[in-house]
Amino acid sequence: VQLQASGGGLVQAGGSLRLSCLASGRTFSTYIMGWFRQAPGKEREFVAAINRSGNMADYADSVKGRFTISRDNAKNSVYLQMNSLQPEDTAVYYCAARADPFGNNWYNRRRMDYWGKGTQVTVSS
């Protein structure tokens, strides 16, 4: 699967952004999808993941209550709605996927198989 993220940009603290990720292929609904981020000088970190049907989600503690992950399997797309953005959210955000053909891989949701190119999110204070 190939992944293309978009929607990044520059926003003031307290603002919102919505990231989108378009996946190629006809088996999108068999993948767990996720978002990760990497700030300058830091390691890449998990942000959020969503299961194949979209009825389960997992979030990093740092974004709980502010970010919402969702997906539209008919459009081969996953989204990350980011509200109440803070300067510490500044990072390159990556869309990622993990194959889950039998629906039993949710426990591995923070370990992804495929990665897209990132999109920059910059939050000014």
Side-chain angles (χ1 to χ4, degrees), residues 4-125:
Q4 180 62 55
S6 62
L10 174 63
V11 63
Q12 289 187 334
S16 299
L17 278 176
R18 187 189 193 215
L19 304 184
S20 299
C21 176
L22 179 64
S24 65
R26 295 178 290 180
T27 60
F28 177 74
S29 62
T30 66
Y31 289 84
I32 294 167
M33 299 300 298
W35 290 95
F36 290 69
R37 67 186 182 186
Q38 187 167 19
K42 295 187 177 181
E43 293 188 353
R44 186 169 56 194
E45 64 175 359
F46 169 79
V47 175
I50 190 166
N51 70 339
R52 302 187 315 170
S53 63
N55 65 351
M56 287 200 297
D58 180 30
Y59 297 93
D61 287 344
S62 59
V63 307
K64 277 182 184 176
R66 300 188 299 123
F67 291 11
T68 302
I69 189 171
S70 61
R71 68 189 294 163
D72 185 337
N73 287 343
K75 295 182 179 180
N76 277 19
S77 294
V78 62
Y79 309 98
L80 186 68
Q81 178 66 43
M82 305 185 293
N83 298 328
S84 301
L85 283 162
Q86 299 301 316
E88 52 265 34
D89 295 315
T90 294
V92 177
Y93 283 71
Y94 297 90
C95 177
R98 181 171 184 90
D100 191 18
F102 305 110
N104 59 355
N105 228 351
W106 182 241
Y107 70 97
N108 260 333
R109 57 192 175 274
R110 299 192 180 194
R111 300 172 64 182
M112 296 296 184
D113 301 318
Y114 303 94
W115 297 87
K117 293 182 180 179
T119 184
Q120 176 71 47
V121 173
T122 303
V123 185
S124 63
S125 57

